[in-house]
Amino acid sequence: MSILKKLSVLLTAIAIMQPSFALPISEIKELVPDLKEWATDPAIVSAVSDANQVFKTRREMNALDREWQEYQGISPLMLSMLESKAAQKLLEFEQSKPFYKEIFITDKFGANVAMTSKTSDYWQGDEQKFSKCFNKGKGTVFVSKSKFDTSTQKNLVQISIPILNGEDTIGVMVVGINTHLYENFDDK
């Protein structure tokens, strides 16, 4: 096992032992109207619409997901998702409050389109943050329980917001909320 992998396992174990902050869902849901507004930004909608025009087979997505998880550092594909217009808009949103951590958007299959930091995997389609929100194309807000996120090394609640083009759900925006910072932030 590499030193980086051992360090990651150790940090995960330490974080799991930390108390999780159980914020009332009603408090977290106060953020939803602003997040829904973000999901309508033209750069976000355009990036997801464009990504949906590129067909990817399940085999291709699985291969990309494996490569993503095994890649040490930032690959050219990851870099393109970190530097796009949509990623710059997401970064602007993330920097608006100190408790926003790791924002990313996916296409209708759950594949990453843009992000503010490297996610732990490429394909979100097999995770509740995507499937519950995309909701077979019906789109609904999904708020996760607080849990340790390996890519940010923080306890996060993830709020998933449907990205709409007209009335059609075309993708998902996932916003990580650092529960400790949120709980202690006065100007929510």
Side-chain angles (χ1 to χ4, degrees):
M1 187 182 297
S2 74
I3 293 201
L4 286 175
K5 185 70 174 171
K6 287 179 184 176
L7 181 59
S8 176
V9 169
L10 177 62
L11 288 172
T12 300
I14 290 169
I16 290 171
M17 291 186 283
Q18 300 299 315
S20 138
F21 297 91
L23 294 172
I25 291 292
S26 59
E27 260 192 67
I28 292 291
K29 284 192 174 181
E30 291 174 2
L31 299 171
V32 169
D34 287 341
L35 303 183
K36 281 184 171 182
E37 177 81 21
W38 293 359
T40 67
D41 185 276
I44 304 302
V45 174
S46 177
V48 174
S49 292
D50 291 350
N52 283 340
Q53 300 306 310
V54 179
F55 179 76
K56 297 174 216 71
T57 66
R58 181 64 189 263
R59 175 177 274 164
E60 290 170 322
M61 284 193 286
N62 286 340
L64 282 168
D65 196 44
R66 246 186 332 278
E67 290 170 24
W68 187 286
Q69 291 178 50
E70 293 170 359
Y71 198 90
Q72 300 296 315
I74 304 294
S75 73
L77 175 62
M78 294 171 195
L79 190 59
S80 72
M81 293 182 188
L82 288 164
E83 293 183 338
S84 68
K85 261 186 175 176
Q88 296 309 306
K89 187 51 85 171
L90 295 175
L91 193 57
E92 183 183 313
F93 297 152
E94 182 178 276
Q95 292 172 347
S96 68
K97 300 274 194 238
F99 49 80
Y100 292 131
K101 301 294 174 198
E102 189 185 56
I103 304 175
F104 58 92
I105 56 176
T106 73
D107 65 13
K108 65 184 176 184
F109 303 107
N112 285 354
V113 173
M115 58 193 177
T116 59
S117 58
K118 180 182 174 182
T119 58
S120 54
D121 58 350
Y122 166 76
W123 188 57
Q124 314 300 322
D126 60 342
E127 299 175 38
Q128 284 190 335
K129 62 186 153 203
F130 173 80
S131 62
K132 295 278 189 182
C133 178
F134 193 75
N135 193 23
K136 299 178 182 170
K138 295 178 186 144
T140 188
V141 173
F142 174 73
V143 180
S144 74
K145 293 180 180 175
S146 179
K147 68 176 190 164
F148 183 74
D149 180 74
T150 57
S151 57
T152 63
Q153 300 291 303
K154 307 276 184 225
N155 282 316
L156 299 182
V157 166
Q158 291 180 318
I159 302 177
S160 300
I161 304 289
I163 299 170
L164 305 174
N165 190 355
E167 294 193 19
D168 297 327
T169 300
I170 61 169
V172 169
M173 179 178 69
V174 179
V175 180
I177 310 296
N178 179 314
T179 54
H180 178 70
L181 292 177
Y182 181 81
E183 191 170 57
N184 294 303
F185 189 69
D186 292 329
D187 187 24
K188 294 178 188 138

